[in-house]
Amino acid sequence: MGIASLDLYSQAIVLFAALALFTSFIMLAQARMMPLIFTFAWQGLLLAVVTVLVALVSNHPHLYISAALTFALKVVVIPWLLYRLSVRLGMQYDAEAIAHPTLLLLGGVALVIFSYHVAQSIVHLSGLATRNTIAVSIAIELLGMLLMCARKSAVAQVIGFMSMESGIFFAAVVSTYGMPLIVELGVAFDILVASILFGVFFFHLRDSFGSLDVGQFNRLSEANQSMPLREAAGEPSAGDPA
């Protein structure tokens, strides 16, 4: 179905869904921590707006509560917690070096094309007014997973995880007009608890290793595995006197 043949509300849903997808690409290319957190908050705001529009189109009042939960958690609470954590950890001005950013964005484009290919059969069979945005919800989830895999900072990986959850929530809204309210309340509570636990986890990592760079943890693990081999071969370790 062409966009021109849709009603005004459905066109607005497609527009705000496209903007939410665009914020996923911004997060994928954003190296600084503060803009990354703010972009995640903008994505949450756009998803809340889409949820309100879907509630108007489908006449499902419980979606207004879902939109309010999305706004409260992903626009206010979680970005505020991440902001406070970044300030207390001294990471608010940090910029992570992204390896091959052009290839990363091209990989994101490939995931979007794949999402439209996967959702093609669903769109043809669905009779929902929001069927045109099912592919966008899948793409947001896959781009969040790509953000988790591509970044080395633990905070950026948590934001990628939250973006994946946003894609799952968006898919539920546009494909089935939302989950049962009790399920959404449970998921919202789980997300809030997870964000608090992630904060505690960050402080433990910083105190134990002095960094939140996951790449350094991998190098430390490789060094610990190689030490017994060196001792077995009779080679002196780095801390031994010559």
Side-chain angles (χ1 to χ4, degrees):
M1 180 183 293
I3 296 180
S5 61
L6 300 175
D7 59 78
L8 183 60
Y9 285 121
S10 298
Q11 290 182 11
I13 290 173
V14 173
L15 173 62
F16 284 108
L19 291 176
L21 178 61
F22 181 66
T23 57
S24 292
F25 277 98
I26 295 178
M27 288 191 290
L28 202 60
Q30 184 57 251
R32 295 189 176 275
M33 190 56 60
M34 286 294 101
L36 182 62
I37 296 174
F38 293 150
T39 306
F40 172 74
W42 274 106
Q43 185 181 71
L45 178 61
L46 291 169
L47 291 180
V49 172
V50 169
T51 306
V52 171
L53 292 173
V54 172
L56 291 172
V57 170
S58 63
N59 196 22
H60 284 70
H62 75 277
L63 289 178
Y64 293 112
I65 302 177
S66 301
L69 287 174
T70 301
F71 180 84
L73 284 177
K74 298 186 178 179
V75 182
V76 180
V77 176
I78 294 178
W80 179 79
L81 287 175
L82 291 174
Y83 173 78
R84 293 294 300 168
L85 283 171
S86 299
V87 171
R88 292 185 63 183
L89 293 170
M91 299 176 59
Q92 66 270 30
Y93 302 114
D94 288 355
E96 180 182 348
I98 303 176
H100 310 293
T102 304
L103 292 178
L104 187 62
L105 292 177
L106 288 177
V109 172
L111 289 177
V112 173
I113 296 174
F114 173 75
S115 300
Y116 273 90
H117 176 72
V118 170
Q120 204 169 24
S121 58
I122 304 175
V123 170
H124 289 315
L125 294 175
S126 176
L128 300 178
T130 55
R131 60 186 178 273
N132 294 283
T133 55
I134 294 176
V136 176
S137 63
I138 299 174
I140 291 175
E141 182 179 354
L142 293 178
L143 289 176
M145 182 177 64
L146 181 60
L147 178 63
M148 286 186 63
C149 297
R151 304 299 286 270
K152 295 181 180 180
S153 172
V155 179
Q157 291 183 354
V158 167
I159 293 177
F161 171 77
M162 295 294 180
S163 182
M164 283 184 63
E165 193 280 329
S166 297
I168 295 173
F169 168 77
F170 189 32
V173 170
V174 300
S175 60
T176 62
Y177 291 153
M179 299 174 286
L181 183 59
I182 187 65
V183 176
E184 294 183 7
L185 290 173
V187 171
F189 180 75
D190 289 342
I191 294 172
L192 181 61
V193 172
S195 62
I196 297 173
L197 292 178
F198 279 133
V200 176
F201 179 63
F202 291 157
F203 281 108
H204 278 292
L205 285 180
R206 200 272 308 269
D207 293 339
S208 300
F209 300 100
S211 174
L212 292 179
D213 189 345
V214 179
Q216 293 187 11
F217 305 155
N218 293 332
R219 289 192 292 271
L220 181 61
S221 176
E222 293 174 358
N224 290 334
Q225 291 176 2
S226 63
M227 284 181 61
L229 297 177
R230 291 181 178 178
E231 292 176 357
E235 297 180 3
S237 60
D240 295 337

